[in-house]
Amino acid sequence: MGVKKGNGLKTLCKDLQIPLTEAIAVGDADNDESMIQEAGLGIAMGNANDNIKELASVTVNDNDNGGCAQAIYDYLLS
């Protein structure tokens, strides 16, 4: 109980010595809310619910149309 993806992201960034402001989180559902909020860049999948789309900085294609690949190419590798 009480486990949130945002806390996991904070712990991972700390362990890897990556500033949270440089982290990218991609999500589509309410259980991704804290992760989207904590990351330096929150990305909503095209199939995400409206809450996640409002919280995210950008939206990519849905999960059936290469959304994760788009997030990687457009925001991580660029």
Side-chain angles (χ1 to χ4, degrees), residues 22-41:
E22 293 184 22
I24 296 172
V26 181
D28 64 356
D30 286 335
N31 67 335
D32 298 318
E33 183 174 327
S34 65
M35 180 179 66
I36 295 287
Q37 290 175 315
E38 292 292 342
L41 176 62

Side-chain angles (χ1 to χ4, degrees), residues 24 41 43 69-78:
I24 296 172
L41 176 62
I43 301 175
Q70 181 186 1
I72 292 167
Y73 287 116
D74 290 355
Y75 299 100
L76 185 62
L77 298 179
S78 62

Side-chain angles (χ1 to χ4, degrees), residues 24-70:
I24 296 172
V26 181
D28 64 356
D30 286 335
N31 67 335
D32 298 318
E33 183 174 327
S34 65
M35 180 179 66
I36 295 287
Q37 290 175 315
E38 292 292 342
L41 176 62
I43 301 175
M45 297 294 293
N47 56 288
N49 65 39
D50 290 338
N51 178 49
I52 296 301
K53 286 181 178 178
E54 288 177 23
L55 292 173
S57 300
V58 296
T59 300
V60 293
N61 291 335
D62 64 31
N63 56 357
D64 290 329
N65 292 291
C68 280
Q70 181 186 1

